[in-house]
Amino acid sequence: MFALGEPIQTPYDIRFPLLGCQVRVSATFWLVAALFGYDYARFVDALYANNGGDTPGLVVLLLVWMAAMFVSILVHEMGHFLAFRFFGIESHVVLYHFGGLAIPSGGRLSGRLSPTAGRLTPFRQLIISAAGPLAQLLLAVVVIVGAIASGLTVGMLSGWLEWLNLPVPEGRMPRSALVYAAIEFLIYPSVFWALFNLLPVLPLDGGRIAEELIRLVFGGTQRDALILSLIAAVLVAAWGFRSGNTFMGIFFLSFAFNNFEMLQAGGTRRPW
């Protein structure tokens, strides 16, 4: 995601530069990553322990999950950052409890002489919004191709492919749970988070993509995008509650409420 409100800074945040981008990782990022990954780490630990494989234990596997989440979401936000940079717009990246944000500063990159540099047009917003999920999906593809080329299983992805009636690549289970976890924990959040962000719900990337397409292709307004977003958020929230995923239900219900409030206020959002 990009251009939401930046979370408050704390003394426990980690800061570092990457490819000319200033990155800040909030302490809450690690906490939520651990909460999300606990069940997955426990599953992999039990899978290998029950089948005589080599497992380093739950704590180490949970750390692998947290590292994989960090890499996956950082790649997503760097996709947004590089797209901002391509159009001559300064930005920085923050990873926090809801994932990540690429936040434009409003300034132009030095050395850009084009009169259009630094302008955030609807077409450019569309490209920038799509760049994050596409970067994350590309990461998943690289890991999948590497695993298949090494003759290894792609874990949960095999189940998804079977559900879609698509060919499932054969592969062996790695002897080490660390190797299995590194592959599995990079693929799963990368695919899930990218697809999650492509839902046409504001303020997710998919909501912004839908908003710009409505504006560019159909000549619509922000109000039209908000109506679509509200409907989509309610449907996803209902599916979340119905399927037992209470967190997702609450998450999208909050989006729906926020979209409804903006519609009541006139159907506009603040410009980024």
Side-chain angles (χ1 to χ4, degrees):
M1 292 185 288
F2 77 91
L4 293 176
E6 183 169 355
I8 189 171
Q9 299 189 35
T10 74
Y12 308 104
D13 296 347
I14 299 172
R15 296 172 176 82
F16 60 92
L18 178 64
L19 300 177
C21 175
Q22 290 300 313
V23 179
R24 177 167 69 91
V25 186
S26 171
T28 58
F29 173 83
W30 306 109
L31 174 62
V32 175
L35 291 174
F36 270 119
Y38 178 78
D39 286 339
Y40 297 111
R42 187 175 62 175
F43 167 77
V44 174
D45 183 50
L47 177 66
Y48 273 78
N50 295 336
N51 290 280
D54 180 19
T55 175
L58 175 60
V59 173
V60 174
L61 291 174
L62 185 56
L63 291 174
V64 173
W65 167 272
M66 293 166 66
M69 282 285 290
F70 168 76
V71 170
S72 180
I73 295 180
L74 180 60
V75 166
H76 180 116
E77 300 309 328
M78 289 302 294
H80 291 313
F81 165 78
L82 292 174
F84 273 125
R85 188 174 185 177
F86 179 80
F87 292 122
I89 301 170
E90 293 182 348
S91 63
H92 61 280
V93 165
V94 178
L95 304 188
Y96 72 132
H97 49 281
F98 282 146
L101 299 170
I103 305 171
S105 64
R108 297 186 181 187
L109 294 177
S110 59
R112 295 297 182 98
L113 302 180
S114 169
T116 61
R119 289 175 53 193
L120 202 53
T121 64
F123 176 75
R124 290 180 175 185
Q125 287 227 28
L126 193 156
I127 298 300
I128 292 167
S129 296
L134 290 178
Q136 205 169 22
L137 288 173
L138 179 60
L139 170 64
V141 169
V142 170
V143 176
I144 290 166
V145 170
I148 293 174
S150 302
L152 300 176
T153 181
V154 287
M156 289 184 188
L157 183 65
S158 297
W160 296 347
L161 294 176
E162 287 179 354
W163 182 71
L164 294 171
N165 292 319
L166 295 174
V168 179
E170 294 185 4
R172 58 181 174 80
M173 291 283 290
R175 178 169 178 79
S176 171
L178 277 175
V179 176
Y180 179 87
I183 296 171
E184 180 81 358
F185 294 168
L186 276 172
I187 293 174
Y188 179 72
S190 295
V191 173
F192 175 80
W193 190 255
L195 296 180
F196 171 89
N197 264 279
L198 286 172
L199 291 170
V201 176
L202 290 164
L204 300 180
D205 296 325
R208 296 186 178 277
I209 292 171
E211 180 179 7
E212 302 310 331
L213 287 175
I214 288 171
R215 181 179 299 168
L216 291 169
V217 178
F218 303 104
T221 64
Q222 287 183 333
R223 181 177 180 83
D224 299 321
L226 282 167
I227 292 172
L228 172 63
S229 176
L230 175 60
I231 294 170
V234 168
L235 290 175
V236 176
W239 178 83
F241 287 122
R242 186 177 180 84
S243 62
N245 194 328
T246 305
F247 178 80
M248 178 174 287
I250 294 173
F251 198 62
F252 276 91
L253 197 60
S254 68
F255 283 154
F257 180 74
N258 183 254
N259 291 166
F260 178 76
E261 280 192 322
M262 285 188 284
L263 280 170
Q264 293 295 99
T268 58
R269 297 184 297 106
R270 63 186 178 93
W272 304 114

